[in-house]
Amino acid sequence: MSQFVQQFRADAIVGEPEVVEDGRSVREVATDPAWLRLKEAAIALQGLQAKDGSVGQESDRPAAAEHARVIVDSIAALAPAFPHDASYLAALQRDFGRWAEEGFGIPDFLDALNEFQPQRHRVDGLGHLVVFPMYTQNGSPDRYVEALLVEVIWPEFVAELEAGDYGNKLFVALRFVDFTPGYDTNSAVLFPETVAMREIPRFTWGAIFQDREAARYRRVVRAAAEITKLELPADAAAMLDDQHLTEETFVMWDIIHDRSHMRGDLPFDPFMIKQRMPFFLYSLEELRCDLTAFRESVKLERELSALPEAELSEAQRAIRDHAHLVQYAVIFDRIFRFAITGTRVRNYDGLGGQLLFAWMHQHGVLHWTDTRLTIDWEDVPEVVIALSDRINELYWRSIDRPKVAHWLAAYEMLTQTLTPHPASVWARGLSDEVLTGAPKGYTDQVLDDEFPLSMFYEALNKKMAGVIESTAGITGATDTAAGAPGEEA
């Protein structure tokens, strides 16, 4: 270990740090020289890191120590702007110091992670400085040091919703302010399990960047509506012109979705995190939670609409109005973006979008006639809730079924609406050898693209691919103009 690294201390301060006044907004912090130095040092450190986060080349470690020193000094300079994160930012400096002193092996930031508790500070507009060696879902698979400035989205109506029947103490809604390249991607989540650490703690929060979800929704739906000549209802069209409104709609959707994963008549472990299973089971779980958000939004809208306007509080009116918008968001994001985003390799979110589109089409509320898409909105709630019921029944019956029998029942349910690949072994019928064997044999027989895109989606995908690709790295501050939609599907 070099003398330079040996002399590194977690509390080292080089030069005089800038004074950051308490109370400055996180957007003001984004222009602070200390943040700009931190971001630059993190990016430089990424260039020295291996996939596991370590700095493998001994010759690179003095430079890594210098970058880490800049990061620590910058965190110390910026900490007064984030008094609610004081213990976390102090632990973060110690973790960087220990990592450097130990020679930049595989990083361990468990101590700092345990101190970071954003779910305790859900205040609209509140900022956080977040720095961890981590991978970013749908972004970088490598555990590089990433740095973010974020602010909380927590309007009054969401606080009231969460305090009532939709409690979700772990859920944090965020907006990007600035970030390092790991988030200049499709990643729209900040999850503690992605951080490099020595052991797995009990996770106490999960965050979603609603501004990214809203911005890409607006861009994709605007383009898809133009391509398919879909006439949007006035309030659905208004969402496409209002980033703030769409963000709040996505917060409501996600807070209900997130809590739904462990509620209901479920298989013992609906995620089956430690198990290998056919990807279409993940499709049904994610779609189940989205459709739960849809049906609960229908319920909220109807209950609050039945009350006299004068009796409603401002928050109740906002819940009612956003509940209506959540229904558009679930349908349009699922059928326009999810279905054709990503590869066709075990694309479980894509499959969920395909299922919703086909179900609505086959139940007579979605029409593709004369190369024009139309939707019978008055009849949509009952049809979509019927699909939710179908999935819920599948789950309820699974409690009494063997695991692989549940898998077979789920596949049968899907094939009642979607057409599998002509070469599908599952569609032809699994052999007795597979049926009597281990579950792994079942999973191995599932094609990467078990349910290919329909002709409608094949055509739509060709016209939408550029628009969807353009949403990588998008934020609420990005110009979300859709651009030229191309020809009709």
Side-chain angles (χ1 to χ4, degrees), residues 348-409:
Y348 60 86
D349 273 336
L351 178 57
Q354 293 169 249
L355 176 60
L356 179 58
F357 180 94
W359 178 273
M360 293 175 63
H361 178 239
Q362 292 168 31
H363 285 77
V365 296
L366 180 151
H367 314 278
W368 177 247
T369 305
D370 299 332
T371 64
R372 178 182 293 275
L373 190 66
T374 57
I375 297 176
D376 301 331
W377 288 107
E378 288 187 4
D379 300 324
V380 162
E382 280 65 34
V383 167
V384 174
I385 289 172
L387 177 57
S388 176
D389 289 340
R390 177 70 67 89
I391 298 172
N392 288 341
E393 180 185 5
L394 173 76
Y395 274 43
W396 178 80
R397 291 178 62 85
S398 76
I399 297 168
D400 302 314
R401 285 172 171 157
K403 178 170 62 179
V404 291
H406 172 55
W407 293 3
L408 291 167

Side-chain angles (χ1 to χ4, degrees), residues 18 39 61 103 122-123 125 138 257 281 312 377 388 404:
E18 289 88 2
K39 182 179 176 183
R61 290 172 193 164
R122 296 187 294 189
V123 178
N138 301 314
H257 170 112
L281 272 297
L312 297 177
W377 288 107
S388 176
V404 291

Side-chain angles (χ1 to χ4, degrees), residues 36 223 389 405 444 462:
L36 299 177
D389 289 340
D444 288 345
K462 292 177 182 178

